[in-house]
Amino acid sequence: MVVQQYRDGGRARTVRALAAAGVIAVSAGCLGGEAGSGASDGSGRRSVAADRPLDLLGQAADVLVEAGGAETRTSMETAAGGTRVTIRGQGSYDFRRQLGRLKVVLPEEAAGGDGHRPITELLAPGALYMKNRGAGVPDDKWVRIDTTALKDGNLLTGGVTDPMAAAELLRGAADVSYAGKSELAGVAVHHYRGVANLGRAARAASPQSRGALSAAAKGFSKDTVPFDAYLDEDGRLRKVRHRFTFSADGPGSAEGPEVSVVSTLLLYGFGLPVTVTLPDEDAIYTGEIRQG
């Protein structure tokens, strides 16, 4: 597990909390609103109304599939001992093929203070590919992780919540309230606040996302995830923030103090052509990954 100790006890606890979440290292030693009806107004655009928020949120993933590709920025943060640690990512995602490519930047303390290069992540249904992470992994090799075998379903492990999984979580929305209309990067958006049930979301998810979300539903000690979602006038998800809570010993454990990780996804540039080529088998590293 790549965690460096610091004299600042709060900072060290924060990094260890991220590691326990699987955000810094997985067991292999790698990086670990107005409501809307979704009805047409006759112009081909979705009409956003205030009376059917559950329908609108439940359709958010489907609307993104229709939109095709988009650019994305992500952040994942936690705080312990008064110190906040944030992992950031940026890239693009194809919602039709559920493929994405992102550059993920660790904070200095999580990267070991050695100026570690950004980590390249490829997201695919049931799989996470990573380059530039894992002691002993050759520079030209990728590490592949089966996300359906992760206790968090890769909602946290890669330091990025898969954009499609983030949208599919809204299929499990309940207790939704409308928090008002605002502007995000010059776009009018409608803000919804609620709680998503992991099990319900997994059952309603697309076949490509179901395995990872089902793993998360079993792995987290709490099956509810508070969220804030921002949708534009066409019902497209522009921003979503999830708050995951679990034991400091990691997802799947019922012991230890609770840790909260806030994962935020921003989407823009809809219709962007996205090209993602997954590594060939001979480019996948199959040797031992040293833990440090």
Side-chain angles (χ1 to χ4, degrees), residues 8-17 78-85 258:
D8 180 344
R11 184 178 298 273
R13 286 194 299 273
T14 301
V15 177
R16 285 198 298 271
T78 191
T83 301
R84 186 176 300 277
V85 172
E258 287 190 340

Side-chain angles (χ1 to χ4, degrees), residues 201-281:
R203 291 190 293 272
S206 64
Q208 297 95 321
S209 300
R210 194 169 298 146
L213 287 178
S214 295
K218 296 175 183 177
F220 281 95
S221 56
K222 289 187 176 181
D223 61 0
T224 54
V225 181
F227 69 83
D228 287 87
Y230 301 78
L231 281 71
D232 65 17
E233 296 290 352
D234 291 330
R236 293 177 300 194
L237 186 65
R238 291 280 181 163
K239 177 181 178 180
V240 62
R241 176 179 290 119
H242 292 102
R243 296 169 181 83
F244 300 97
T245 303
F246 46 86
S247 165
D249 292 333
S253 174
E255 301 178 358
E258 287 190 340
V259 173
S260 178
V261 175
V262 179
S263 178
T264 303
L265 170 72
L266 291 170
L267 295 170
Y268 55 101
F270 290 101
L272 172 78
V274 177
T275 300
V276 177
T277 302
L278 299 181
D280 295 330
E281 284 299 320

Side-chain angles (χ1 to χ4, degrees), residues 91-232:
S92 57
Y93 193 88
D94 182 335
F95 286 94
R96 291 176 182 164
R97 296 191 299 153
Q98 295 192 20
L99 295 174
R101 184 184 184 96
L102 297 97
K103 291 284 188 181
V104 178
V105 180
L106 296 177
E108 182 178 341
E109 51 268 56
D114 60 359
H116 198 288
R117 291 172 297 171
I119 298 161
T120 301
E121 295 192 6
L122 303 181
L123 308 174
L128 168 65
Y129 298 84
M130 295 182 292
K131 183 181 279 190
N132 298 337
R133 191 59 173 180
V137 180
D139 289 345
D140 62 341
K141 295 292 186 179
W142 294 82
V143 174
R144 183 187 186 279
I145 296 173
D146 179 358
T147 56
T148 64
L150 295 172
K151 290 182 178 179
D152 73 326
N154 195 33
L155 294 177
L156 300 174
T157 290
V160 173
T161 300
D162 184 294
M164 191 63 181
E168 299 252 40
L169 271 176
L170 298 178
R171 297 187 191 273
D175 300 326
V176 176
S177 62
Y178 175 56
K181 186 175 181 178
S182 60
E183 190 173 281
L184 181 64
V187 176
V189 292
H190 299 273
H191 179 189
Y192 307 91
R193 183 174 290 125
V195 177
N197 180 278
L198 285 165
R200 186 183 303 125
R203 291 190 293 272
S206 64
Q208 297 95 321
S209 300
R210 194 169 298 146
L213 287 178
S214 295
K218 296 175 183 177
F220 281 95
S221 56
K222 289 187 176 181
D223 61 0
T224 54
V225 181
F227 69 83
D228 287 87
Y230 301 78
L231 281 71
D232 65 17

